[in-house]
Amino acid sequence: MPTDSEADPAAAALVAIWTDGGCKPNPGPGGWAAILQFGDIEREMTGFEPVTTNNRMELTAAAAALEALKRPCKVALHTDSEYVRNGITRWHTGWVRKNWRNAAGDPVANMDLWKRLLDAAKPHTIEWKWVRGHAGDIMNERADVLATRARQQTA
């Protein structure tokens, strides 16, 4: 991924990221994956949790991918999770304003991971792109395979 030693940082156009996460059953053992592309450089990341939820794995994938970037970047992050995309682009401002309470006044679910994701996103300029899962997007399908493999290897 991008480093400070690149000859022309202004030419560093875009880091493309695809993320996925899931569990089976939900809740249960879960896996997450991220694929990061910067020019000709590509990195795959995966992880596992023994007891978790689909939403936690989706959030973890996005946060881990952004945390892997070594300097502020322009990012196109692709996710098939409407929960992640809506939370980061619409809902989080209200949660923060209400001291991490949802519309019903209850604590926001997965608050620890939402805070982690917001912190990881701060240095970057991110376009959050939703892609339909299991609909033929090659990179989304690849992230799904990696997340499933991560879940199955250690389940």
Side-chain angles (χ1 to χ4, degrees):
M1 296 305 94
T3 64
D4 291 331
S5 62
E6 290 180 7
D8 184 6
L14 184 70
V15 176
I17 300 174
W18 288 263
T19 63
D20 199 20
C23 357
K24 194 170 189 178
N26 185 29
W32 62 267
I35 304 165
L36 294 78
Q37 289 183 336
F38 178 72
D40 294 335
I41 301 167
E42 186 171 281
R43 178 178 177 191
E44 294 178 351
M45 303 171 59
T46 62
F48 168 80
E49 290 290 329
V51 180
T52 190
T53 65
N54 287 340
N55 285 340
R56 289 190 66 80
M57 292 293 87
E58 295 279 5
L59 287 164
T60 299
L66 294 172
E67 289 165 350
L69 301 175
K70 297 182 183 352
R71 65 172 172 80
C73 297
K74 183 177 178 185
V75 176
L77 193 145
H78 305 79
T79 177
D80 62 8
S81 170
E82 291 188 67
Y83 176 70
V84 169
R85 195 205 44 186
N86 287 333
I88 200 73
T89 63
R90 296 175 37 208
W91 304 333
H92 83 274
T93 53
W95 295 336
V96 170
R97 190 175 58 249
K98 295 177 187 173
N99 197 27
W100 289 97
R101 299 283 172 172
N102 62 23
D106 298 323
V108 170
N110 305 312
M111 178 177 29
D112 59 328
L113 289 174
W114 282 114
K115 287 181 177 181
R116 178 181 169 191
L117 181 56
L118 287 169
D119 285 344
K122 275 181 192 172
H124 310 293
T125 302
I126 304 170
E127 182 179 358
W128 297 90
K129 297 184 171 207
W130 180 80
V131 295
R132 184 174 303 282
H134 310 287
D137 181 291
I138 293 169
M139 295 303 288
N140 177 258
E141 298 291 341
R142 190 169 145 203
D144 179 70
V145 167
L146 291 169
T148 299
R149 192 176 299 150
R151 175 180 53 80
Q152 291 173 337
Q153 282 180 342
T154 45

